[in-house]
Amino acid sequence: MSDYQVFLNGEFVPEDEAKISVFDHGFLYGDGCFEGIRAYEGNVFKLDEHLDRFYTSAKALDLTPPYEQAEMKDLVLEACRVNELEDAYIRPIYSRGVGDLGLDPRKCDEVTTVIIAREFPRLYGPELYEEGLSIATVSTRRNPPECLSPNIKSMNYLNNILGKIEANQLGVDEGLMLDTKGFVSEATADNFFIVDDGEVVTPPYHNSLRGITRQSAMDVAEREGLPVTEKPITQFDVYAADEAFMTGTAAEIAPIVEVDGREIGDGNPGEITKQLMDAFEKVTRTEGTPIYPKETVEA
Ligand code: PXG
């Protein structure tokens, strides 16, 4: 076992001592929220954007965080420092806390706070970033906002996990989820884009998670002079597209070359996709909140 230090309820403890009660409602009911954040070469990428979403998820769950957002920002950076990380995957979690066996959140006195920071490679194998992924539409539909908003990044991922299980059973690299109306929503842990006649298109975010990498990819595309549109897309639009890719903190930008047995474009990662992958990589290496401010390094 590695010896990462995990922040748990006010202190950093060795990871094998970072234990949660079986009566924690995060465990019993998936009642809580989390973020997945990355650091590149000593800088945490889009930290404020991730923390804004984290605190909005908590608010939507009517969960009062024990730390102000600015304190949480310091703790995330500290979690990287105590683990001496430059490149990291960081996961802050707030769960409802320890209660009894009833689901009423009023039974829980204290929100559980966890921050895990560790090294973590890109979500898919390196060859898939060269050759592109084969994906398939799964039958599990993405939770509609009228039942459970996909924009709450909650500790209950069963909707996406059922989609991922189907994708695994189909023997493809990832599952594409539709919304309840049959429009494309997103992949199980990534947002979805197509490129059509030079235009970069992604579905509106109401039926999917408003991904931070999704926004970065849109910003990068605009800076590269490409038209970017948010509009509903169908499976037909996907099959007819010139290119397709996915975006996510864990996956970064990942090219897609096959959907439901249909080749996308010529079956190779598209030129615009590759351009965006390169431009995104540059952005991740030049922006971000420093983990080790200069004064500390020089002192
Ligand atoms: N959709 C869903 C459902 C997600 O969970 C994204 C899109 C992409 O969002 P960001 O903001 O990351 O660009 C996500 C993010 C994991 C893991 O452990 C999952 C995510 C992020 C980090 C790690 O599989 N999902």
Side-chain angles (χ1 to χ4, degrees), residues 85-132:
L85 293 163
E86 299 253 328
D87 292 279
Y89 176 76
I90 311 150
R91 175 165 303 196
I93 305 164
Y94 282 137
S95 87
R96 189 75 63 181
V98 176
D100 67 13
L101 291 176
L103 59 77
D104 190 339
R106 292 176 299 184
K107 302 279 176 56
C108 308
D109 289 335
E110 211 179 308
V111 167
T112 301
T113 306
V114 174
I115 307 171
I116 302 166
R118 58 187 310 164
E119 277 161 351
F120 185 68
R122 287 194 291 193
L123 191 60
Y124 306 107
E127 70 290 350
L128 291 179
Y129 289 87
E130 297 284 328
E131 293 160 16

Side-chain angles (χ1 to χ4, degrees), residues 53 89 91 142 153 157 160 186 188-191 209 211-213 247-250:
R53 188 171 66 183
Y89 176 76
R91 175 165 303 196
R142 190 73 177 97
K153 199 164 165 62
Y157 253 55
N160 314 67
E186 58 180 337
T188 65
D190 306 300
N191 292 109
L209 182 73
I212 312 282
T213 320
T247 63
T249 298

